[in-house]
Amino acid sequence: MAATVTKLSQFLLFLFLSLSCNATTPSAADSIGVNYGAIANNLPPPQQVANFLKTQTTIDRVKLFDANPEFLRAFAHTNIPVTVTVGNGDIPALAKLPAAQSWVANNILPHHPQTIFRYIVLGNEILATSDKVLIASLLPAMRTLKSALDAANLSSVQVSTPHSLGILSTSEPPSTGRFRKGYDRLIFARILEFHRQTKSPFMVNPYPYFGFKPQTLNYALFKPNAGVFDPATGKNYTNMFDAQLDAVYSAMKKVGYEDVDIVVGETGWPSAGDPNQPESNLANALSYNGNLVKHVNSGKGTPLMPNRTFEVYIFALFNENLKPSISEQNFGLFKPDFTPVYDVGILRNKQGPTKAPGGRPPTEAPVAKPPSGADTGRKWCVPKSDASDAALQANIDYVCGTGVDCKPIQAGGPCFNPNNVRSHAAYAMNAFYQANGRHDYACDFNKTGVLTSADPSYEACDYTHVEGKALKLEKSVAGISTGLCTVIEIIVVAFIQLLFLI
């Protein structure tokens, strides 16, 4: 009897703790990778990048746009799986087995096993090029490359190719998703058969950024919206990302390959853009990528693919200054000095490093925190991405001249670093907005300010002002609750044992 009581009390204790102390333990992000591009002249050495990813972020997989040996050496012994890309121009030659074997011998074997290879992808969005030679060579090259990898005892390395959503002739509503006429059976059914046989994924690049309209912006950003109803399935879609994936799934199902896995090779949102791209801004980039990370790692899947966690590679790791347009230059999660453009929840310290690798102090504006799961209604005023330093300095002078406390951005103040105009203006503009009733017009600043729901606070620099005490109290209560778990355990054990003794 005593043994039964002991076991029962232990079970009840386990159940209680599972529902209380451990209920708020966050799960680790395990499906988010990043595209590491290098079209820039100011990026850090690959070895520093690999070390940064390993030690400062939760990113555990990387996709490269070539097979640069310097990059592959950098990821040796990091335990970060790497995806490498065969250039478009190399695809026709690789359709022959000797060339594929030579490519593997020259580009993969010198780095194996110290560097872990996850996928070899051929080209990038080949179908979108309309190049008949490339399109005709794609599947033969995929087959020979896989044969070359198997022959080299690298059968665990999978082969795929990334597709844009231009492969679909229809996609709205998702149930109507269909591959382009003439390509469905001739091209895609055969590619999908290859994936089924080799147990490799069909890779797509869904970009709600390229598909939204002004009236569907919230739908694209995972923000609250009425949703889009698909009458054929009875499913209601609350975000465009799910809709785009389900459109691809529907197209695959129509040719009989809905069992093949889907991997998201690229998706993202720029934090800045040209003057005619007002929705290319930091707040939207943070909203899209931050909510994407939470959505993917929730394991909810999509309406047509429920309870599924997709492997997703965010585009991109860095801002790349040699790309042709402002928006293309600003898809990065990080700037070249490792300062986060914004934090989507992948930093190990949660608020970004106070110093870049090598000891360099941060030189950029404060980092906005990732969006919370619910809309709390709080807003902060920050500079627009295209605001000039001259305009921002004028904002600082104006705000500080009105009597708003600017001591935090003076030397020795908690918000003095990073010591630059944009960072100081962010604090001053928000202080003015908070002190003047939080009205939208108090964040106008001659069209150089923008409201965000992402708290820009960092380190000891607190942007919450009036709400700061409440936030700190919430954090304190959470800390106390966590600390009390041990005490609760003791009380519960004593209570249950006393109950059974009685």
Side-chain angles (χ1 to χ4, degrees):
M1 178 67 181
T4 301
V5 169
T6 300
K7 288 181 179 179
L8 182 57
S9 66
Q10 288 173 344
F11 168 75
L12 291 173
L13 173 60
F14 170 78
L15 180 63
F16 175 84
L17 295 178
S18 296
L19 295 174
S20 56
C21 293
N22 293 332
T24 58
T25 302
S27 60
D30 59 358
S31 302
I32 301 298
V34 69
N35 285 272
Y36 177 9
I39 304 178
N41 59 11
N42 59 355
L43 297 183
Q47 191 168 4
Q48 287 187 19
V49 174
N51 183 63
F52 171 74
L53 292 176
K54 181 178 175 63
T55 61
Q56 301 294 322
T57 79
T58 58
I59 292 172
D60 64 354
R61 62 202 72 190
V62 169
K63 181 166 163 278
L64 305 176
F65 289 96
D66 54 22
N68 188 320
E70 184 181 5
F71 285 59
L72 297 180
R73 284 193 295 269
F75 284 96
H77 308 295
T78 61
N79 205 35
I80 297 176
V82 175
T83 293
V84 300
T85 301
V86 175
N88 286 9
D90 294 329
I91 291 175
L94 294 186
K96 296 182 179 179
L97 184 58
Q101 291 173 325
S102 177
W103 190 92
V104 169
N106 294 331
N107 294 281
I108 304 301
L109 290 180
H111 308 283
H112 174 75
Q114 58 269 29
T115 298
I116 301 171
F117 292 94
R118 183 160 182 79
Y119 305 117
I120 310 295
V121 296
L122 280 86
N124 191 41
E125 302 181 353
I126 295 299
L127 277 297
T129 67
S130 298
D131 186 314
K132 294 181 180 180
V133 174
L134 285 180
I135 294 172
S137 303
L138 180 59
L139 182 55
M142 292 171 68
R143 288 171 174 159
T144 56
L145 188 58
K146 180 57 178 172
S147 295
L149 289 167
D150 291 346
N153 294 319
L154 291 169
S155 57
S156 63
V157 181
Q158 298 179 328
V159 174
S160 190
T161 183
H163 304 281
S164 74
L165 292 199
I167 61 177
L168 303 180
S169 59
T170 59
S171 60
E172 296 178 0
S175 63
T176 66
R178 181 182 299 274
F179 291 123
R180 287 161 53 185
K181 187 176 181 180
Y183 283 47
D184 48 0
R185 297 289 175 183
L186 185 63
I187 301 293
F188 289 107
R190 295 178 180 181
I191 288 177
L192 288 165
E193 178 62 25
F194 166 82
H195 289 312
R196 176 182 283 171
Q197 291 177 357
T198 61
K199 297 180 172 57
S200 57
F202 188 66
M203 189 173 287
V204 294
N205 298 341
Y207 274 96
Y209 172 72
F210 294 117
F212 82 93
K213 300 173 183 177
Q215 61 269 30
T216 61
L217 180 61
N218 285 348
Y219 179 58
L221 295 174
F222 295 89
K223 289 185 175 182
N225 64 90
V228 175
F229 183 71
D230 189 333
T233 60
K235 305 293 186 182
N236 192 58
Y237 289 81
T238 58
N239 69 81
M240 191 179 292
F241 178 80
D242 281 358
Q244 290 183 338
L245 285 187
D246 274 359
V248 173
Y249 172 82
S250 295
M252 294 166 63
K253 187 174 182 179
K254 285 180 173 67
V255 293
Y257 290 93
E258 68 271 25
D259 57 306
V260 173
D261 284 339
I262 296 174
V263 164
V264 176
E266 292 180 27
T267 191
W269 197 285
S271 60
D274 295 308
N276 63 342
Q277 297 174 309
E279 309 306 340
S280 302
N281 59 55
L282 188 146
N284 287 347
L286 175 60
S287 179
Y288 178 75
N289 284 322
N291 285 316
L292 171 74
V293 169
K294 291 191 295 183
H295 180 63
V296 169
N297 285 329
S298 72
K300 292 179 181 178
T302 70
L304 294 184
M305 296 179 283
N307 304 317
R308 198 160 158 183
T309 301
F310 296 94
E311 187 175 357
V312 174
Y313 292 82
I314 294 177
F315 186 86
L317 179 56
F318 289 114
N319 282 343
E320 298 172 70
N321 67 347
L322 295 184
K323 289 197 167 181
S325 67
I326 293 177
S327 60
E328 289 181 89
Q329 294 172 9
N330 287 278
F331 271 89
L333 298 176
F334 296 92
K335 298 181 181 180
D337 65 351
F338 296 102
T339 303
V341 179
Y342 50 89
D343 180 11
V344 296
I346 59 172
L347 289 168
R348 293 189 183 277
N349 60 10
K350 301 302 180 187
Q351 290 185 335
T354 57
K355 291 186 179 181
R360 296 191 301 277
T363 59
E364 303 297 339
V367 180
K369 292 179 181 177
S372 60
D375 181 11
T376 61
R378 291 190 293 267
K379 292 183 179 180
W380 292 264
C381 181
V382 296
K384 286 185 176 178
S385 58
D386 59 352
S388 68
D389 282 358
L392 296 181
Q393 183 60 57
N395 293 348
I396 296 172
D397 296 340
Y398 171 76
V399 169
C400 296
T402 64
V404 170
D405 182 14
C406 289
K407 290 180 181 178
I409 57 175
Q410 295 173 359
C415 304
F416 179 69
N417 286 318
N419 181 19
N420 59 54
V421 172
R422 181 167 291 273
S423 176
H424 291 178
Y427 182 87
M429 291 164 66
N430 181 66
F432 181 87
Y433 167 75
Q434 301 289 343
N436 285 274
R438 303 183 186 88
H439 298 294
D440 289 2
Y441 58 76
C443 186
D444 184 79
F445 291 99
N446 291 323
K447 310 300 181 185
T448 62
V450 64
L451 290 174
T452 176
S453 58
D455 181 2
S457 301
Y458 63 100
E459 299 300 323
C461 183
D462 182 12
Y463 278 60
T464 56
H465 293 279
V466 175
E467 297 153 324
K469 292 182 179 179
L471 289 177
K472 288 176 180 176
L473 178 60
E474 290 172 10
K475 292 178 180 178
S476 297
V477 172
I480 292 171
S481 298
T482 301
L484 283 176
C485 280
T486 302
V487 176
I488 292 173
E489 291 174 12
I490 296 172
I491 294 174
V492 172
V493 170
F495 176 78
I496 293 174
Q497 291 179 341
L498 178 62
L499 180 65
F500 279 99
L501 285 174
I502 294 173

